[in-house]
Amino acid sequence: MAKKINLSSLLAEVKEVHEQFPNWTTDNAFVHWFFQAFLVADSEIAARSVTGVSHDKGVDGIYLDESSKQAFLVQGKLRQAATPPLEPRVSVMGFAAIAKKIVSPKAEFASFKLKMDPLVASKISDVRERVLKRGFSLSLYYVTTGKCSGPLKAEAESEASQANARVSIKVLERADVLALLTDYLGGAAPPVPYLDLRVDARGVMGSDGMIQRYDSQTGIESWILTMSARDIGELYVKAGDRLFARNIRGFLGDTAINDGIKSTLRDQPEDFWYFNNGVTIVCNSARKTSERAQSVLRLTNPQVINGQQTTRTLSTHGGRRAAVLVRVISVPRDPDKDQTEFESLVSNIVAATNWQNAILPSDLRANDSRQVILQRDLAKLRYHYLRKRQSRQEARRVFGRQYGFWLKMDELAQLVAACEFDPYLVRSGKQGLFDPPLYGKIFDGRSVSEYLSIYWFGKMVKRQGSGYPDRAYAKWHAMNFLWSHVAPLLRRKSTAEEFRRRCETREGWPPLERAASEVFKALGDFFKANRGVGQKATDISNFFYRPHQEKAFEKYWASRRNTRRLRVKRYLQLFEEGLQTSD
């Protein structure tokens, strides 16, 4: 369940950034968080965008987005009073005036840079060069946890717009920042600030091409319209992968559905509107406007929650002959209230509309806050946690080489379940692990350190079982039994870190590997002793697919028939000694 987001939630995030950069001011840490939540997901790029110095002339952060040809200047004010104070006019207007100074004549610009920190001055010069010579747009963001009056916002916007047609200023106050924090914690950040949907009104009689509906009880406003296939594809070109942050899956690649989309575009583009389910978009707000007699619907913070496969395919195979049905749902959000209702509504819409490619139980957990937090914490250790189902090629395209290790959500669920529950549950299918109550027991908020201990331990046990067909059926039992003996060691922070370090560097733990091999052999002995004889004999694949079989093995292990107990005990002692020596 989503929790209420408030100023304390934000301060906790800022504190975490401040601990990474103790020489920064709290405002600097706040600006870093804003960059990461609003503009760039990469923490290192966000850090480089913060000026972090005095004599910055009111410019706390600078970011140049070469791909979209946009320059961003940020000033941040972390007001910690319980009641948001009003922002001083001189601060807001002073920041807005920077826009004019950047595009001013050389002499005036040089005067502006006097006594400015050299690094900031160099970055400001880069901004000026791109705006004046390369056609970049310039966006100023005054970000505060205070409050700004409507007239002052309008005055600041007017001041900035006088500099250049491609210059704008946006004042984000506490309510806006907390809404952004909600999306950040929910894995839907950085957001897409806005997108314009160009209406294809061909064949629509007597209207502007849009059907509009307003629900007075919920405040939800909806539109139905048609767009050209090319314009739908352009949405992805403009916004990139963050357009699908609230979607439960990544791009699935060459599926039968996606191949069908391409086939229709190639052979029957005029029928695409009838054959395709269309695209569903949720947003914070939508406004009808027009541009050169063309009807346009401008969306703020849009997210494609159904139709990712269509949109991605159209970005490379679209055309103007094909048309696409589009549904837009504008959901009002009040950051002062619990966000559960909003998150629940979006999740239900996602589940109800994504049916062409089968939805798995794990898909419905992909955007759960526990998964988002786990992904973020693992990223700090250079692990990419794949919480969404997507093609391998797509995952590598999105995340490249920035992570040292890759870990899938369903794989982690299997390993935890095998270590802590009846192995029968794991062999019954990994999707069942994402249903209650197992999901809540597997992803229970335990430390990242413990998850990684289980991950590397599980990989080691599976490696000892590879190459032996019969061991494949017993691997979850081997994992379950051995984990019960090493868990106390690997749950300690210091020993867990050393265990992970040696696994990451492939040094390995030979005593533990030998112990695992002996446990596999003991499971084989256990099977032979209890499989039965003749026609009533049980096949090994069925033998280890019995509920509570791990308890029967524990009895066998303690019995005199087990000849491997002392060897395993000795190997585990050597493993413990090795860990303690390293510690």
Side-chain angles (χ1 to χ4, degrees):
M1 179 178 290
K3 66 178 182 179
K4 180 176 174 60
I5 301 299
N6 52 31
L7 182 61
S8 296
S9 311
L10 176 65
L11 294 177
E13 293 295 323
V14 173
K15 181 182 178 182
E16 186 173 322
V17 174
H18 203 193
E19 288 172 351
Q20 292 179 271
F21 302 91
N23 293 329
W24 281 0
T25 65
T26 305
D27 276 350
N28 290 151
F30 173 52
V31 171
H32 176 285
W33 175 84
F34 174 75
F35 270 115
Q36 193 170 353
F38 191 72
L39 291 171
V40 289
D42 190 290
S43 179
E44 292 183 8
I45 296 176
R48 292 198 296 269
S49 301
V50 180
T51 58
V53 295
S54 57
H55 306 295
D56 57 16
K57 294 289 183 79
V59 181
D60 297 330
I62 301 172
Y63 174 63
L64 292 169
D65 188 340
E66 303 290 349
S67 61
S68 66
K69 301 187 74 172
Q70 295 183 82
F72 298 92
L73 302 186
V74 174
Q75 183 174 137
K77 302 294 184 185
L78 186 62
R79 315 291 192 190
Q80 300 190 36
T83 302
L86 280 172
E87 287 300 314
R89 180 182 180 280
V90 65
S91 297
V92 178
M93 295 306 296
F95 185 61
I98 292 175
K100 282 185 179 179
K101 294 173 182 177
I102 287 177
V103 299
S104 63
K106 284 185 178 180
E108 190 176 338
F109 179 66
S111 177
F112 169 61
K113 291 197 301 178
L114 286 176
K115 297 184 180 180
M116 181 182 281
D117 179 87
L119 179 60
V120 180
S122 175
K123 289 186 175 183
I124 284 289
S125 296
D126 290 340
V127 171
R128 172 184 168 87
E129 188 269 340
R130 282 163 174 76
V131 171
L132 294 181
K133 296 182 180 180
R134 303 194 198 180
F136 273 51
S137 62
L138 174 60
S139 299
L140 281 69
Y141 282 92
Y142 187 95
V143 188
T144 177
T145 51
K147 197 169 184 178
C148 187
S149 67
L152 180 54
K153 287 182 182 180
E155 188 180 357
E157 290 169 5
S158 175
E159 172 73 16
S161 66
Q162 293 174 31
N164 186 298
R166 298 179 64 83
V167 176
S168 64
I169 185 172
K170 180 80 172 178
V171 179
L172 301 181
E173 52 188 350
R174 182 172 298 188
D176 303 307
V177 173
L178 293 183
L180 176 62
L181 175 61
T182 300
D183 289 342
Y184 175 75
L185 295 176
V192 179
Y194 74 89
L195 280 177
D196 287 341
L197 308 188
R198 291 160 45 89
V199 179
D200 182 354
R202 290 175 294 176
V204 180
M205 307 301 292
S207 75
D208 57 5
M210 286 183 271
I211 298 174
Q212 184 176 358
R213 179 182 185 271
Y214 177 71
D215 188 331
S216 59
Q217 291 187 331
T218 63
I220 296 174
E221 203 164 4
S222 306
W223 290 262
I224 297 176
L225 59 141
T226 295
M227 294 178 65
S228 75
R230 178 177 296 177
D231 284 346
I232 286 290
E234 279 296 311
L235 298 181
Y236 174 66
V237 174
K238 292 177 182 176
D241 298 296
R242 56 184 177 170
L243 183 59
F244 312 112
R246 288 193 177 277
N247 208 292
I248 56 176
R249 290 179 292 235
F251 186 55
L252 299 178
D254 295 327
T255 65
I257 296 295
N258 294 345
D259 289 342
I261 292 174
K262 297 174 188 176
S263 176
T264 303
L265 288 169
R266 182 182 63 249
D267 302 328
Q268 299 170 273
E270 65 280 356
D271 293 331
F272 192 84
W273 194 90
Y274 308 106
F275 294 171
N276 188 267
N277 276 351
V279 175
T280 301
I281 304 174
V282 295
C283 61
N284 288 359
S285 65
R287 178 172 58 88
K288 288 193 292 186
T289 183
S290 62
E291 184 179 289
R292 298 178 182 178
Q294 165 78 57
S295 294
V296 172
L297 191 64
R298 171 163 287 192
L299 315 183
T300 60
N301 195 7
Q303 285 283 306
V304 171
I305 58 170
N306 174 245
Q308 176 179 187
Q309 313 305 317
T310 295
T311 305
R312 287 290 304 275
T313 303
L314 293 179
S315 69
T316 53
H317 295 80
R320 292 204 176 274
R321 291 178 60 196
V324 184
L325 181 67
V326 178
R327 183 167 56 153
V328 174
I329 304 172
S330 173
V331 184
R333 302 173 66 179
D334 185 347
D336 293 328
K337 295 182 180 179
D338 194 319
Q339 294 294 302
T340 302
E341 187 175 343
F342 170 80
E343 298 291 346
S344 178
L345 174 63
V346 173
S347 296
N348 289 337
I349 295 172
V350 171
T353 55
N354 284 270
W355 59 268
Q356 280 191 299
N357 288 293
I359 298 177
L360 303 177
S362 57
D363 292 333
L364 297 177
R365 301 291 189 178
N367 289 334
D368 181 77
S369 60
R370 283 169 282 191
Q371 300 302 330
V372 175
I373 292 169
L374 186 54
Q375 181 185 47
R376 190 171 294 134
D377 289 344
L378 283 167
K380 296 173 184 175
L381 298 173
R382 296 187 66 247
Y383 285 77
H384 177 56
Y385 183 58
L386 288 162
R387 59 184 172 88
K388 294 186 179 183
R389 187 159 52 103
Q390 56 192 162
S391 68
R392 181 180 294 273
Q393 180 181 3
E394 172 68 3
R396 295 198 178 280
R397 182 195 67 79
V398 173
F399 299 102
R401 298 180 179 275
Q402 61 178 305
Y403 295 99
F405 306 96
W406 294 60
L407 172 59
K408 291 183 177 180
M409 178 175 69
D410 56 0
E411 178 187 9
L412 183 60
Q414 275 188 312
L415 295 175
V416 174
C419 287
E420 299 189 344
F421 309 127
D422 188 338
Y424 167 81
L425 297 173
V426 183
R427 286 206 61 191
S428 297
K430 58 188 176 185
Q431 291 304 317
L433 304 177
F434 292 90
D435 291 327
L438 285 177
Y439 176 76
K441 294 178 179 179
I442 293 171
F443 298 102
D444 57 357
R446 71 186 71 197
S447 69
V448 169
S449 176
E450 183 172 341
Y451 279 121
L452 288 178
S453 289
I454 291 175
Y455 168 68
W456 285 112
F457 168 80
K459 285 178 68 71
M460 184 275 298
V461 173
K462 287 202 288 187
R463 192 164 54 247
Q464 292 304 308
S466 65
Y468 301 87
D470 286 353
R471 289 188 179 185
Y473 301 109
K475 63 184 177 185
W476 304 122
H477 287 77
M479 206 174 294
N480 180 275
F481 176 80
L482 200 53
W483 177 254
S484 66
H485 288 74
V486 301
L489 273 174
L490 297 184
R491 284 191 173 119
R492 282 167 37 196
K493 184 177 180 181
S494 57
T495 49
E497 287 181 354
E498 177 60 17
F499 177 72
R500 173 171 61 84
R501 184 195 66 78
R502 287 186 57 170
C503 290
E504 289 175 350
T505 57
R506 299 186 179 181
E507 294 178 52
W509 293 94
L512 186 59
E513 293 166 9
R514 294 189 187 102
S517 182
E518 289 298 321
V519 169
F520 270 115
K521 292 175 184 178
L523 284 163
D525 298 338
F526 170 62
F527 162 68
K528 293 173 184 176
N530 294 278
R531 63 183 171 182
V533 295
Q535 294 183 348
K536 293 184 178 181
T538 303
D539 182 77
I540 192 169
S541 63
N542 294 322
F543 182 82
F544 286 109
Y545 187 36
R546 291 176 177 174
H548 313 306
Q549 190 73 297
E550 84 283 6
K551 294 181 179 178
F553 178 66
E554 287 176 2
K555 292 180 179 179
Y556 170 83
W557 184 264
S559 71
R560 293 181 178 180
R561 291 181 295 172
N562 176 23
T563 61
R564 306 183 188 276
R565 186 169 55 250
L566 291 178
R567 267 173 285 182
V568 170
K569 183 178 180 180
R570 185 168 65 253
Y571 290 141
L572 290 180
Q573 286 175 339
L574 291 173
F575 171 63
E576 182 175 358
E577 289 170 5
L579 268 178
Q580 291 176 339
T581 300
S582 300
D583 186 19

